[in-house]
Structure formats: structure tokens, C-alpha cells
Amino acid sequence: MAKKKQPKVAKSFTEAIGGVNIFQNDIFNGLFGFALILFAIYLTIAMVSYFYTGTADQSLVLDQRPGEWTNTAREYQNWCGSMGALLSHFFIARCFGLSAFIVPLLICIIGIKILKAFKKVNLFKWFLSLTVIMLWTSVAFAKFLTPLMGDEVFNPGGGHGEYVGNFLENVIGTPGLVAVLLLIAIIFLTYISSETIQIIRKMFNPIGAITNREKFHIKNVTEEEPENVPGGQNATYEDSEPQVVTFDDVNGGLEDKPAAVLQPEEPAEETVEEGTADENDATDMTVSTGNQEEKAEGKTVGEVDLSTPINPKEPWTKYKYPTLDLLKKYEDDDKPYIDMKEQNANKNRIIEVLGNFGVQISSITATVGPTITLYEITPAPGVKISKIRNLEDDIALSLAALGIRIIAPIPGKGTIGIEVPNAKANIVSMESILNSRKFQETDMALPIALGKTITNEVYMVDLAKIPHLLVAGATGQGKSVGLNAIITSLLYKKHPNELKFVLIDPKKVEFSIYAPIVKHFMAQVYDETGEEEAIITDVTKVIRTLNSLCKLMDTRYDLLKKAGAKNIKEYNAKYVNHKLRLTDGHEYMPYIVVIIDEFGDLIMTAGKEIELPIARIAQLARAVGIHMVIATQRPTTSIITGNIKANFPGRMAFRVSAMIDSRTILDRPGANQLIGRGDMLMLNGSEPVRVQCAFVDTPEVERINEYISKQSGPTEPYELPEPNNEEDGAVGGSIDAHSLDPLFEEAAHAIVVSQQGSTSMIQRRFSIGYNRAGRLMDQMEQAGVVGAAQGSKPREVLITDIASLDSLIAQLRNG
């Protein structure tokens, strides 16, 4: 017997008038906001007129009789008629005096907010700030401007200012009133900017005022000066909430409950004054490090203040991070578009398909994401999960959609998820991701912001904890954009002294766009032929670079051992706090991120020569800050071997063509069911997370790179050590003169003159990195200038006079 359908009763006024909520209607909001702006202009004109017509209208306003407000006899002189006279008299004479002009300003801001002309207007902050200013100036004007007003018919502070001022003056006297006004002003200015306290301190002690902020400390980018933070002083934070559609019942209507976009109050601006030591003095100091004192060449300037940490960003402390206006903002960044007709249709089809196969459910809800909607269903008691899982193809057929994926059950919930692509996909811009509070306030060592989840939450991972990432996806599915998103995230968060990239691009076109920032952010092996190619495209140079990274890894582990540190974070903390001896070769370690595009092509070309150093780096390099991201469009077992998979726990899978490829990259199906265009599964734990990858276009990347290239920074790429080869250990004339460092002759003369075979001395004398200085010492050892290394002790100098050295150099040139 068919169940009789009950008539639906309207549950609210909104439903009773046809489901239209006028306060969520763009047309109504536009008209209402525009009306408020016009009223604010009207009120401003009336208040200006009050200064000229207030005296003439005063008797009419104060002795108003019924019916006079219509102004039929044209007795009111105010430019805006009787209503203008009444309103201006109320706000100026009876309320706030001259400060009353803030009232139409507030009304105008509210109108602009409702009109949505400026989406980033923080209404609460504007309202609070202007209200405080209006009340404060009302009292101040009433007490201190009254003698200057002459014969005006109103008090400059209005009735409010006059009453409050007299009350406070009667209770605490004039000095007390002034003190209260000053205290409120200081509190308000401190709310606006934290610099207020420092300015006050300097007013009392202009010379010796030193605050904790004037001492450099290691900090995240969010502690920088506002203009030095991504987005600059105009940066605002936006976090999205899930767009949830709750269905009243599985057979009835639905209720639209989209969550509003959070616009948190902007944080108070903070500035940090960093150390101002002259960078030239850094090489002319007597540095006390532990039990050993190291004296630099030249004049002695004095001892370093060991209570002040070393600034790892020196000497490029003026470097400014990229701003958010370099990125494109899309109209649908704030929240996904919700098509209620589509949601209803999908819900009904899902219920129908499940019902046809005898599967009953008790509830269904929908969470609308940028490109995917997650329908969460609660099965009726006694329904097996496997029965629903087996209906995946039938549901896809019913919905006539690709990319249907069933999650049975959803981890941590007692529901089953059905992921259905939206008819209209929303673009997730890189700007909306980097402008989120989650990214701006993160304390991750290497934060990579990848996109948004189905619940519209910004998805971020710390590459330092992953610690290596494997990326796979068919051609044109978003893999290259994903790599650009990773690089862009790190560029917006790290200083050139804190991060270096090794970009390997067998296709020769993917990473060439980053050529402008080679000197700032790239690392490379010194090329004996003189050819500079920081973005590596040649297979032989790839092998050489990977072997160089293995050598750098071993060197860093030796330094960690000497420092008694377990990882790069502990080591750098000891370095900046003067707990390491510079004579032992210690220096600040930047993170190094190796990104390989089209790893499959390298494996096919070089095979084990590529795989072995990659596997070794992946196994050991995490602790010393070397991390790898390798990408391939052919995720087959011959390319992604078991050795590679075992050492790359992070997996980022875009759409692939076959289930076997999905199992290769994720160890499970799913990537073959994605819809493409940046739709991906991110595995960083037990279960993959579906993410819509942030879109960063080529022009955006070009603008970022151009901006960085104009900033102060390193003058040459970071040098990686020379990889070990069969000729290592040769001495006395077997070295090729053409392969010598350009500084070899000068460095050799310095060693012979000082009779001190110290790598750190070479490093300071010629202002070069430790790696290059070490390579110079190795070449001098091969040439017979110095002896073998003796741990932390200086090498023995084998040549005692300049004449012998010149003779040796001549032999090298001729030989």
C-alpha cells in the first residue's frame, strides 16, 4: 500500500513567502546598502548646513509644535529641510558636537559593507575605532574648545561631551580629566598599533631605550614587519568554513545552511628591529667561541655580544618577502557556489539507487567543496557497508558523472561518504590559500600549502616532517601546477639564507621560469667548465649533483656529530646562540629541497646511477635538512621501485589512467577515479585526503620571481661540494690546472704567508662559503701546498716560502 504523502507545513517565514530570504538576497542587499550611502551623504549635508542655519532654526526645533515638522510654510532654513534641521540638531547639539560627523561616516561604511563593494572591510574594527574616537573627541572638545567657539549655539562637544566632561571634572578635577583622556588615548593607540608602547618608552629615554624587540631573535615570517610579510600591510586573513547542506529528511526538502566566510579581526601591526651591525665588521672581529678564540685579520673591533643571537638572515636583512598582490584573486575565492537544485537532484538520485538495491538510509547531508560535494549517509540498522561499496558504478551511472568515489566508512565517523563532482567547479586560487590565517601563522619548518579539502579547509603539510614527497599524475592533470604550488608556498615563507632549491628538469621547460631567482634560492655544484646551469637539465649533471648532495649530507652529519645535535633544527639553534666553534667549520645550514620533474625519464636514461643516490638521500638526509620531491607521469613499478616507495612516505596523486597506477602510487585505488584539473589525493598518513590543488598560473610565477630578483640577496647560487671521484687523493702536480678554482693562487699565497692551513681563515679572508673554501684546501692538498686534514686542527703547510710556491704554480700551468 502506497504511503500517503503528508502536506508540508512551512517551518519559517522564509518558507512561507516562497523560500526567499531577503537578507541573503544580493539585489536587496545592493539596494539597501546604496540607500544607506545616500542617507549618509544627506546627513552630512544637513550637518554642514547646521553651521550656517542652526541659529535661525533653533527656536523652531526647540519649540516645535505638532505638524510643524512638515515645513509647509518653509520656515526651516536648513538645506535639507525640517528633517535635516532636526537630525543635525540632535547629533551635533544634543549628542556629540563636532564629533558627530563620524556618524554619517559609520553609516556609509555599513552601506559599503552591505553593498559588498569592498569585501575585506572589517566592520567591527571600523565601528569600534570610530566610536571610541567620537566619544573621546566629544569630551575633549567640550572641555578645551569651548572658549574658541564664540557665539555658536552649540557646545563643540555636544550634550554628551559637556555632561561627561563636567561629571569627571567634578569628581577628579581637571588634572584627573586630562589623565583619563591621555590613558584612554594610549590604550586606543596601542590597540591600533603595538608600536605605541615603544614610542612612549623612547619619549622618556630617547637615547637608552632598549626593548626586547630591538634584540634580534629567531622568528617565523609572521613576526616580521607588516610590509615584510606576504601581502604587506594590507594583508588580511580569510579562513573558510564547510559549506554544509542539511536535508530535512531523506525524502523531503532541504535546508540551505552555508557558513559565512570568516573575516577575523586583523592582528595588531608589529615591527621587529633587527641587529644593525655593519656586515663589513663581521669579518674583522675577535670571536670568542667556547674554549678557543679565533682572531680575524685586520683591525680588532671588539668581542661579539654572546647574549645577542646570530641573525641567520644577515647580511640580507632588508630582503622583503613576496606580497599577495602578485597573485591573482578570483571572484569565487570566498566560498563555493551552491546550486540547491543540483544538490536536491543528486540527493534524490542517490536515495533512489540505494533504494532500488534494498539499501535503506536514515539521514543524508552534503558538504560542498570547491569541485567535489561529499554526501554523508547514515545507513539504517542492519545494512552492510560492503553492500553500499559495491554500488559505486551504479551510483555513477545514475548521476551521469565521473569521479564518483565511495568512502566506507568515513574515518572517525559512523557514516559513509559518497564524493560527487560539482557541475560547476570553483577555482582555488593560490592567493586565497596564502592569505589564510592557517598559512600566515604556521610555525612549520617547510610549509607547503597545497589547496583546499572538501570541507573548504586550507590543506597544508610540513615537508620537513613528511620528509620526502612522491608526485604522480597523467599529463595535463595538474602535476606541474602542484609543483609550482609547492615552490610558491616556500618562497612566500622562507628567506634566501634559510632555503635553497635544487631543480632538476629533464624536459628543460618546466623550471626555466625560475631562472631569475637562481642567485637567491638555487644551489648548484661548481662547474669546472665555467658553464653556469643552476636549473639542471643534463643527465650527467644530475648524477653529479645527486652525488654532491650525498657528500653534503655526510659533511652535515659530521658537523652534527661535532655539535652534539640530532637534527638541523637543534644544530642551527646552537649556531645562532654561539654554542659552536667556528674553527670547526660550523656554519648556518639552510634547508635544501630537491625537486625532480619527470623522474621516469631520468630512470630510463641513467637507471641505477640515479636511483641509488636518491635512495641514499631519502634514507638519511631528513635529519640534515635535505628533502626530495620527485614527480612522474608514469607511476609504474619499473620507475617507482620498492626502494623508492619505501623512502617516500608522502604521496601526492593526481588523476591516472588505470587502477594499477593508482595502486603503485597510493597502494590502493582512487587516483583513477579523480576528475582531473588539480583534483588529487594526498597521502600523508593512513588514509588519503581529497584536495583541490591551488592554481598558480605562469604569469603569477613570473611576477613573484621578478619581485624576488629585485630584492637584496646572495650574489651567486649556493655552492654544493665537489662530489667524490676516482681522482681524489692525487697529489703533487697530477692536478689539472684548468680545473683550479680562480682563487687558488691567492689562497695559496695567503696560506704560505700565514703558515696556517685553516679552511675557516680562507673562508673569512675571501668572503666565500665553507664548501668553496674546503674545495680550495683539497686542491692545495692535491698540489702539495698543504698536508692532509687532521680533524679540527689546521693542516700542515708543506711549502715555507713564496719562491717555492711560485715555482709550483708555474709547473702546474706548464704541466
Side-chain angles (χ1 to χ4, degrees):
M1 181 177 181
K3 184 178 180 181
K4 185 177 181 181
K5 188 173 182 180
Q6 298 294 330
K8 185 176 179 181
V9 180
K11 297 180 180 179
S12 65
F13 172 74
T14 300
E15 292 186 14
I17 62 175
V20 178
N21 188 339
I22 60 174
F23 296 105
Q24 292 183 355
N25 187 288
D26 283 340
I27 297 177
F28 174 81
N29 288 339
L31 293 175
F32 185 58
F34 187 66
L36 287 178
I37 295 173
L38 291 178
F39 176 70
I41 296 173
Y42 171 84
L43 184 57
T44 302
I45 296 173
M47 292 169 70
V48 171
S49 174
Y50 183 80
F51 289 97
Y52 303 96
T53 62
T55 303
D57 292 341
Q58 185 178 21
S59 59
L60 294 173
V61 172
L62 295 178
D63 302 326
Q64 187 184 65
R65 293 185 296 274
E68 282 190 353
W69 67 273
T70 58
N71 198 24
T72 54
R74 299 277 182 169
E75 295 176 324
Y76 286 93
Q77 302 297 312
N78 192 284
W79 302 337
C80 294
S82 59
M83 185 61 65
L86 294 172
L87 288 174
S88 59
H89 174 79
F90 174 77
F91 285 114
I92 295 177
R94 300 191 63 180
C95 292
F96 309 114
L98 299 176
S99 306
F101 280 92
I102 293 178
V103 173
L105 178 59
L106 278 172
I107 296 173
C108 184
I109 292 174
I110 294 173
I112 291 174
K113 179 67 175 180
I114 295 176
L115 191 61
K116 297 181 180 179
F118 298 97
K119 296 183 179 181
K120 299 294 182 67
V121 173
N122 190 327
L123 187 60
F124 173 79
K125 188 170 185 177
W126 274 97
F127 185 85
L128 177 63
S129 300
L130 291 177
T131 301
V132 172
I133 293 173
M134 182 172 65
L135 297 177
W136 187 92
T137 53
S138 173
V139 177
F141 290 169
K143 301 310 299 179
F144 304 114
L145 290 187
T146 301
L148 305 178
M149 294 300 293
D151 298 330
E152 291 291 344
V153 296
F154 65 93
N155 188 289
H160 163 268
E162 185 177 18
Y163 173 80
V164 174
N166 290 336
F167 174 80
L168 292 176
E169 199 170 30
N170 293 337
V171 175
I172 57 179
T174 301
L177 173 62
V178 174
V180 169
L181 290 175
L182 285 176
L183 178 61
I184 294 174
I186 291 173
I187 294 174
F188 175 72
L189 292 175
T190 303
Y191 167 74
I192 297 298
S193 173
S194 60
E195 281 295 294
T196 304
I197 299 299
Q198 296 188 39
I199 293 173
I200 294 173
R201 287 172 177 166
K202 292 179 180 179
M203 288 174 57
F204 286 98
N205 187 2
I207 299 177
I210 299 179
T211 66
N212 289 334
R213 288 184 173 272
E214 291 173 327
K215 297 180 179 179
F216 178 83
H217 59 281
I218 304 301
K219 56 188 177 298
N220 190 274
V221 67
T222 53
E223 296 177 75
E224 295 285 347
E225 299 180 12
E227 65 270 15
N228 213 16
V229 176
Q233 293 180 345
N234 297 324
T236 58
Y237 306 142
E238 286 191 5
D239 290 331
S240 299
E241 288 184 336
Q243 305 287 325
V244 179
V245 177
T246 304
F247 300 99
D248 292 341
D249 55 68
V250 295
N251 295 314
L254 55 93
E255 181 182 356
D256 179 14
K257 297 181 180 179
V261 176
L262 288 181
Q263 288 185 323
E265 182 179 341
E266 297 178 0
E269 296 180 357
E270 296 184 358
T271 61
V272 179
E273 298 183 13
E274 299 177 346
T276 57
D278 187 351
E279 61 181 273
N280 295 324
D281 291 342
T283 59
D284 292 329
M285 295 182 180
T286 299
V287 185
S288 299
T289 54
N291 301 325
Q292 189 171 348
E293 183 177 83
E294 177 181 354
K295 187 172 183 180
E297 266 61 37
K299 62 179 181 179
T300 300
V301 191
E303 294 190 355
V304 174
D305 182 9
L306 297 182
S307 64
T308 303
I310 298 172
N311 184 351
K313 299 179 183 179
E314 288 181 349
W316 322 115
T317 56
K318 299 300 182 182
Y319 172 85
K320 294 184 182 298
Y321 295 85
T323 56
L324 289 173
D325 57 10
L326 301 172
L327 298 170
K328 184 177 179 181
K329 181 175 175 61
Y330 295 85
E331 293 182 359
D332 52 2
D333 276 345
D334 292 339
K335 57 183 179 180
Y337 166 77
I338 299 180
D339 187 340
M340 302 310 301
K341 183 178 180 180
E342 176 190 353
Q343 301 302 325
N344 256 330
N346 287 345
K347 180 261 301 185
N348 292 333
R349 289 195 189 105
I350 291 173
I351 294 173
E352 180 182 358
V353 171
L354 295 176
N356 290 340
F357 289 90
V359 177
Q360 301 298 321
I361 61 175
S362 57
S363 66
I364 180 171
T365 60
T367 303
V368 184
T371 56
I372 301 295
T373 296
L374 173 65
Y375 293 89
E376 292 187 49
I377 62 175
T378 303
V383 176
K384 292 183 178 181
I385 294 178
S386 59
K387 192 172 185 179
I388 298 178
R389 188 186 292 116
N390 293 334
L391 297 176
E392 188 171 74
D393 293 336
D394 298 284
I395 295 175
L397 179 64
S398 173
L399 297 176
L402 298 175
I404 301 292
R405 198 169 74 104
I406 292 182
I407 310 172
I410 296 178
K413 295 185 178 182
T415 58
I416 295 172
I418 302 176
E419 295 176 347
V420 180
N422 297 335
K424 177 186 176 183
N426 293 274
I427 295 177
V428 176
S429 70
M430 200 69 200
E431 190 273 344
S432 66
I433 301 298
L434 301 187
N435 196 22
S436 65
R437 181 180 294 275
K438 186 173 184 179
F439 180 80
Q440 294 285 345
E441 297 183 352
T442 183
D443 58 355
M444 295 178 180
L446 292 175
I448 51 176
L450 297 176
K452 289 185 178 180
T453 63
I454 291 178
T455 57
N456 287 297
E457 296 175 353
V458 172
Y459 186 82
M460 289 175 54
V461 292
D462 188 354
L463 184 58
K465 292 183 178 179
I466 291 182
H468 308 290
L469 181 62
L470 186 60
V471 183
T475 302
Q477 303 304 316
K479 176 168 52 65
S480 296
V481 174
L483 295 179
N484 286 332
I486 292 173
I487 297 173
T488 301
S489 300
L490 296 173
L491 291 178
Y492 266 81
K493 210 64 172 171
K494 307 305 288 185
H495 187 276
N497 286 1
E498 298 173 328
L499 172 68
K500 299 297 177 183
F501 288 103
V502 174
L503 300 183
I504 299 175
D505 183 13
K507 291 190 288 187
K508 303 182 180 182
V509 294
E510 292 295 340
F511 292 148
S512 59
I513 194 173
Y514 294 101
I517 62 172
V518 161
K519 294 180 180 180
H520 284 75
F521 279 101
M522 300 301 162
Q524 69 176 116
V525 184
Y526 179 75
D527 194 339
E528 297 175 355
T529 63
E531 298 179 3
E532 294 187 3
E533 190 181 16
I535 300 174
I536 307 162
T537 58
D538 185 74
V539 175
T540 57
K541 292 182 179 180
V542 172
I543 297 171
R544 190 162 175 263
T545 300
L546 292 175
N547 289 329
S548 173
L549 289 169
C550 290
K551 184 174 181 179
L552 176 63
M553 177 182 70
D554 294 335
T555 302
R556 285 190 169 189
Y557 267 114
D558 291 339
L559 292 175
L560 258 65
K561 180 180 178 182
K562 291 180 183 178
K566 293 182 179 179
N567 52 53
I568 187 175
K569 186 176 181 180
E570 293 182 9
Y571 177 89
N572 283 338
K574 287 189 175 185
Y575 176 83
V576 299
N577 288 294
H578 306 279
K579 295 181 179 180
L580 302 178
R581 296 178 179 178
L582 301 184
T583 52
D584 288 345
H586 292 296
E587 61 179 352
Y588 187 82
M589 291 184 186
Y591 284 94
I592 295 180
V593 177
V594 184
I595 302 181
I596 304 176
D597 188 26
E598 200 38 65
F599 173 68
D601 184 69
L602 294 178
I603 288 293
M604 292 176 64
T605 306
K608 293 295 181 181
E609 289 184 278
I610 292 288
E611 183 181 350
L612 292 179
I614 287 179
R616 186 163 184 264
I617 292 171
Q619 287 172 347
L620 301 174
R622 171 182 183 174
V624 293
I626 302 176
H627 305 276
M628 302 198 74
V629 178
I630 62 175
T632 181
Q633 63 183 6
R634 299 190 298 272
T636 60
T637 53
S638 60
I639 294 172
I640 303 178
T641 62
N643 199 17
I644 294 294
K645 287 180 64 175
N647 294 291
F648 281 76
R651 316 280 176 81
M652 197 163 119
F654 293 89
R655 186 183 181 186
V656 294
S657 57
M659 184 186 295
I660 186 64
D661 293 339
S662 178
R663 290 188 182 277
T664 302
I665 182 70
L666 294 174
D667 297 321
R668 70 198 75 197
N672 57 307
Q673 298 168 310
L674 300 176
I675 62 173
R677 298 179 61 85
D679 187 21
M680 69 177 186
L681 289 173
M682 180 67 192
L683 180 63
N684 185 29
S686 58
E687 292 294 330
V689 178
R690 196 163 187 176
V691 178
Q692 177 60 39
C693 184
F695 179 69
V696 53
D697 205 359
T698 299
E700 297 175 81
V701 177
E702 289 175 342
R703 289 194 295 269
I704 295 169
N705 292 335
E706 182 182 2
Y707 180 91
I708 293 175
S709 67
K710 295 178 181 179
Q711 302 301 316
S712 60
T715 57
E716 59 183 10
Y718 181 82
E719 292 187 28
L720 297 175
E722 193 75 19
N724 296 324
N725 54 59
E726 297 177 356
E727 297 178 359
D728 284 353
V731 294
S734 62
I735 185 171
D736 182 7
H738 297 289
S739 66
L740 292 176
D741 191 286
L743 294 176
F744 176 84
E745 187 172 342
E746 294 181 61
H749 275 86
I751 291 291
V752 172
V753 169
S754 64
Q755 287 294 299
Q756 182 182 3
S758 170
T759 303
S760 57
M761 185 271 285
I762 295 294
Q763 182 184 0
R764 294 191 310 275
R765 172 70 69 88
F766 298 102
S767 300
I768 60 177
Y770 184 80
N771 291 329
R772 187 176 181 185
R775 185 173 62 250
L776 277 166
M777 293 300 295
D778 291 340
Q779 290 178 353
M780 282 187 276
E781 179 186 354
Q782 293 178 22
V785 179
V786 296
Q790 304 178 38
S792 61
K793 296 180 181 180
R795 296 173 184 249
E796 179 186 0
V797 182
L798 303 179
I799 297 179
T800 58
D801 58 89
I802 295 297
S804 300
L805 176 63
D806 291 339
S807 176
L808 174 62
I809 293 175
Q811 291 177 10
L812 291 174
R813 289 174 177 171
N814 297 330

